[in-house]
Amino acid sequence: MRSFFFFFFWFLWIGGANVIPQTYFLAVAPEYKEQLVTLLLMLGSLASIAGIVWETKLGKYISLQAALYVGLPLVVISFGLLFSGLSVVLYFGFYLCFRFLSCALYQKLDAGICHHADIQVSDNHAKHSMIFMLVAVCLAPVFFAFYQHGVVVSGVVILLAFAAAFYYRNIASVIGAGTGVLGAGITATSANGAKANTKKLPLHLSDKYFLIYSGAYLAVVFLTSSLLVYFIRDFYGFKSPVKLGGLVMLVISLAAVVSCLLYGRFRKSPFRDSGCVWVQIIILAAMSVGVVLLYLKLVPSFMYVAASASLMGISYGVFVVFTRSLVVHRARDCGRTTLLAWYNMLPFISSIAIFAAAGGLKLIIASSAYSYYWGIAAVLAVVGVIALIALIAFNRNSEKY
């Protein structure tokens, strides 16, 4: 349960990205809601990246305890103020503060376990953190869609914050004494008896290929999921696309949770880079087949769409466990906490790239005869090829790691 803070942060982030801003701008500026939501989410992604970078560069001067007991209340306060009827300018300001503070604290707590804990604890963290994330993806949109009252939301968020702090408070017993200041170049002894130098090392060439591969994969996931409602409406012609799109996203999330649990169950040995390339190839193949089946439209029924989407969910569940296990392994055993920081920034970097690509494509398609969705298919194909090439290069360079 030390990884419960993953559920807390992702619960807030999913609500803050999918439901809360759309509801706010629909009420205060309905004529500009699309533009304002897009601008807010792009700036929020930049604020998230800035928070992780700030913690990586300057977080060593702040103790883990101070970050937890001071940073957590600030995150709760900045998030709660989003429901207090703020003006647009203040709403932007507190939203960006929330994204910056939450991501800085998230990186601090994540690195605290990944870099200093023993093999069993950090491997369990890699699996459980992703399970909590996927459960938050399932529950957050439903909760915030039904509950927008500030008192109710604030009460739930405060309870979750207390739970996250409670389960994380024994971190000192996990990462050992002398870890009050993370990343200060000290040497900690983990429970397996190995000494881990906390000094941050530069990225290895295989780390860079891994980040390219992971970023390309996440771009495919985000681009497909962000257009799912419109795709169901325009490509399949279904009625009630919002409800059906929500059900499809739920199917994807549930399939991801199941595959995450099954993969973690069958992979009992400590993580190692070698011998795992076939897993990543299966991940790419399952995602590719799922997307292709959606575009082929072999059976124009909801069950067909849900079955195709479940392949994407299975792929994503294995992906998040595998990639996080690799990152935790390299942060713990190789001292590459910089890789952990970059990995935590990837969702935000990929989302910015997708916003830019989808917006640019919309402008191009608007003046041509080509279908927008087939243009999206071309983008997905190019990104998929990039992911495959990066995966091959990652495998070749991992042998020299």
Side-chain angles (χ1 to χ4, degrees):
M1 294 297 290
R2 298 183 186 97
S3 303
F4 183 78
F5 71 90
F6 262 75
F7 177 85
F8 170 74
F9 285 117
W10 278 98
F11 188 81
L12 268 57
W13 289 338
I14 295 298
N18 294 343
V19 181
I20 299 170
Q22 297 180 49
T23 304
Y24 171 79
F25 288 118
L26 184 62
V28 302
E31 64 277 16
Y32 302 111
K33 59 182 183 300
E34 292 88 357
Q35 296 91 329
L36 288 173
V37 168
T38 301
L39 178 62
L40 181 70
L41 295 182
M42 290 189 67
L43 292 176
S45 295
L46 291 174
S48 299
I49 294 171
I52 295 174
V53 172
W54 180 87
E55 197 289 321
T56 304
K57 299 295 183 181
L58 302 176
K60 62 186 179 180
Y61 301 110
I62 302 175
S63 70
L64 197 61
Q65 289 77 12
L68 181 63
Y69 296 121
V70 176
L72 197 57
L74 291 177
V75 170
V76 173
I77 292 171
S78 59
F79 184 81
L81 287 173
L82 299 180
F83 299 89
S84 60
L86 299 169
S87 66
V88 173
V89 174
L90 289 177
Y91 191 91
F92 266 81
F94 282 110
Y95 182 85
L96 297 181
C97 287
F98 157 68
R99 293 290 294 265
F100 177 90
L101 292 170
S102 61
C103 286
L105 182 58
Y106 173 91
Q107 173 65 21
K108 185 77 169 180
L109 302 181
D110 191 21
I113 290 182
C114 292
H115 191 60
H116 293 280
D118 62 25
I119 292 177
Q120 182 179 0
V121 170
S122 56
D123 279 356
N124 288 337
H125 171 62
K127 179 179 70 173
H128 296 156
S129 59
M130 293 297 96
I131 294 174
F132 278 125
M133 181 199 76
L134 294 171
V135 172
V137 170
C138 294
L139 297 182
V142 178
F143 173 80
F144 287 109
F146 285 94
Y147 296 99
Q148 287 285 315
H149 194 278
V151 176
V152 175
V153 172
S154 298
V156 171
V157 170
I158 289 173
L159 287 176
L160 291 176
F162 272 116
F166 174 78
Y167 285 119
Y168 202 88
R169 66 177 183 173
N170 59 348
I171 184 63
S173 64
V174 179
I175 63 179
T179 59
V181 179
L182 182 62
I186 59 174
T187 300
T189 303
S190 60
N192 64 348
K195 290 187 176 181
N197 183 14
T198 64
K199 187 175 293 184
K200 298 177 178 64
L201 300 177
L203 293 176
H204 186 269
L205 182 59
S206 66
D207 296 334
K208 297 176 182 178
Y209 284 124
F210 167 78
L211 291 172
I212 294 172
Y213 158 73
S214 299
Y217 180 93
L218 289 175
V220 172
V221 172
F222 293 157
L223 182 56
T224 304
S225 59
S226 65
L227 297 173
L228 195 56
V229 172
Y230 303 134
F231 188 81
I232 289 175
R233 181 193 64 188
D234 300 333
F235 205 77
Y236 279 83
F238 291 161
K239 296 180 180 180
S240 302
V242 176
K243 293 182 179 179
L244 293 179
L247 287 175
V248 173
M249 289 301 299
L250 181 60
V251 168
I252 292 175
S253 299
L254 291 176
V257 171
V258 172
S259 64
C260 182
L261 289 170
L262 291 177
Y263 179 71
R265 180 180 180 85
F266 288 113
R267 189 191 61 79
K268 293 182 179 294
S269 59
F271 181 86
R272 293 294 182 268
D273 290 358
S274 59
C276 296
V277 179
W278 65 271
V279 176
Q280 294 294 65
I281 293 175
I282 291 175
I283 291 171
L284 282 181
M287 177 61 70
S288 301
V289 170
V291 173
V292 170
L293 287 177
L294 281 177
Y295 271 93
L296 288 179
K297 198 180 177 180
L298 298 177
V299 181
S301 69
F302 174 76
M303 294 303 297
Y304 173 82
V305 174
S308 302
S310 66
L311 286 175
M312 300 165 58
I314 292 171
S315 169
Y316 183 64
V318 178
F319 168 82
V320 293
V321 176
F322 182 93
T323 53
R324 172 153 278 274
S325 297
L326 184 144
V327 170
V328 169
H329 158 60
R330 292 193 171 185
R332 179 193 65 221
D333 297 341
C334 308
R336 300 190 183 279
T337 51
T338 304
L339 177 62
L340 177 65
W342 276 101
Y343 181 79
N344 285 339
M345 287 189 288
L346 276 182
F348 309 114
I349 296 173
S350 296
S351 64
I352 293 174
I354 288 308
F355 278 130
L361 185 62
K362 189 67 174 178
L363 294 175
I364 297 173
I365 298 298
S367 58
S368 69
Y370 293 101
S371 168
Y372 174 67
Y373 294 107
W374 286 109
I376 291 293
V379 172
L380 291 174
V382 171
V383 176
V385 171
I386 293 174
L388 180 60
I389 294 174
L391 175 61
I392 295 172
F394 160 73
N395 178 47
R396 290 180 176 176
N397 285 274
S398 290
E399 298 173 356
K400 306 173 184 178
Y401 196 77

